[in-house]
DNA sequence: TATTGTTATACTCTATAACTATA
DNA sequence: TATAGTTATAGAGTATAACAATA
């Protein structure tokens, strides 16, 4: 039996640290993501890349990397893996031949479509402890913290 | 010059995802942590371990690992490194010789004391975009999301 | 000169399983 | 048998620097 010893832990100043709370919350959220979408063979980071390409066809790798706070070197590997999987296509634009534009293949769109319902279920699960209003307020505050538009 | 192309990116459904917002917010917060405390040779995770040991003398490794959502195998390595640095001491309690109790050494306490002011400055920096009241509300909501006491 | 994407390297973090010693 | 910590291994994420092609 677990918890028999005494595992109530005082958090002290850490319990009032935004960064600490963000870290734990993010781990909790990712855990739920894997719980609901793990079988679909996609991690949160990959999912976000796919979603952003879908929303922004012909987006460039560097722009995508910056937006997702992923290093360009890492983005290269992710995108190459997704291209090998047949989810993403790449093309060099005429106006800047250094860069690479990304788009979803048919399979990429299908993958997103397949994940949509379990993803929404995952999002809905966040309501177990937070009310609708609280969840909305939490999102609003995080967006403001990030400097994102309302 | 950066931003000359057009790097306004539509987030779509992702922009309304709590997990996605948590992820970006956490990265932003950690970035600031490194900016303010990086020179002190301690990462956010190590700092949280040190703080929790300080708050809970004689805490057991497994309890600490569970609270911080760190795998026990990883916690072993972290604690060993901190012991090698002379920050943490370990002892086997009489009542359960399988387990290990942790405490801070004098150097460990000194390290925390040295980090206190820059850590508070880091926390204060979170107020640049959020008001006092908003920051407090954000923390309250995250704690509730985590199932932590008020 | 600066930027885009690439490659290579190293380190951290995570996940898993097998192991030991205790319970 | 179950649990606490350890070890080993593999994979994923991150950071950095050097490079080629292009701007």
């Amino acid at each position: 039996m677990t918890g028999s010893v005494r595992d109530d832990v005082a958090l002290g100043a850490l319990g009032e640290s935004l960064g600490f709370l963000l870290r734990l919350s993010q781990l909790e959220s990712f855990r739920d993501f894997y719980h609901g979408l793990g079988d679909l063979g996609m991690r949160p980071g990959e999912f976000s890349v796919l979603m952003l390409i879908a929303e922004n066809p012909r987006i460039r790798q560097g722009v995508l990397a910056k937006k997702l706070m992923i290093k360009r070197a890492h983005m290269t590997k992710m995108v190459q893996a997704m291209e090998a999987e047949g989810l993403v296509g790449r093309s060099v634009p005429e106006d800047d031949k250094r860069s690479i534009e990304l788009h979803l293949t048919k399979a990429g769109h299908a993958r997103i479509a397949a994940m949509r319902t379990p993803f929404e279920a995952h999002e809905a699960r966040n309501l177990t402890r937070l009310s609708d209003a609280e969840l909305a307020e939490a999102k609003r505050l995080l967006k403001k913290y990030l400097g994102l538009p309302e």
Side-chain angles (χ1 to χ4, degrees), chain A:
Chain A
M1 182 186 180
T2 176
S4 64
V5 180
R6 149 174 143 63
D7 54 357
D8 53 307
V9 180
L11 294 179
L14 221 47
E16 296 305 315
S17 162
L18 180 65
F20 179 73
L21 294 171
L22 284 171
R23 174 62 176 163
L24 288 191
S25 298
Q26 187 251 298
L27 287 175
E28 178 89 355
S29 178
F30 271 28
R31 173 183 295 176
D32 189 89
F33 182 96
Y34 283 113
H35 179 265
L37 294 120
D39 297 340
L40 298 168
M42 187 146 294
R43 277 173 281 274
E46 296 167 335
F47 181 68
S48 67
V49 167
L50 218 56
M51 288 285 281
L52 246 55
I53 298 175
E55 276 305 318
N56 305 272
R58 313 199 79 72
I59 190 173
R60 296 182 183 186
Q61 270 191 211
V63 175
L64 186 56
K66 181 187 264 187
K67 196 70 187 179
L68 292 176
M69 297 195 202
I70 293 173
K71 286 281 176 299
R72 281 182 310 155
H74 187 208
M75 184 59 73
T76 293
K77 280 190 277 189
M78 289 181 75
V79 169
Q80 282 176 343
M82 292 177 133
E83 188 183 29
E85 261 194 287
L87 302 175
V88 167
R90 316 200 298 162
S91 52
V92 175
E94 270 307 311
D95 65 311
D96 186 346
K97 292 182 177 168
R98 294 171 305 180
S99 66
I100 290 187
E101 293 181 345
L102 305 171
H103 63 272
L104 290 195
T105 61
K106 211 160 182 174
H109 282 293
R111 178 67 67 91
I112 281 192
M115 299 187 79
R116 194 180 154 189
T117 300
F119 179 68
E120 283 170 357
H122 154 69
E123 288 295 319
R125 241 171 285 139
N126 289 321
L127 285 168
T128 49
R129 290 203 177 105
L130 260 39
S131 72
D132 269 8
E134 286 173 329
L135 184 61
E137 179 66 1
K139 289 180 190 174
R140 186 186 75 79
L141 293 172
L142 292 176
K143 278 189 266 194
K144 189 165 182 191
Y145 175 67
L146 289 167
L148 292 176
E150 153 69 10

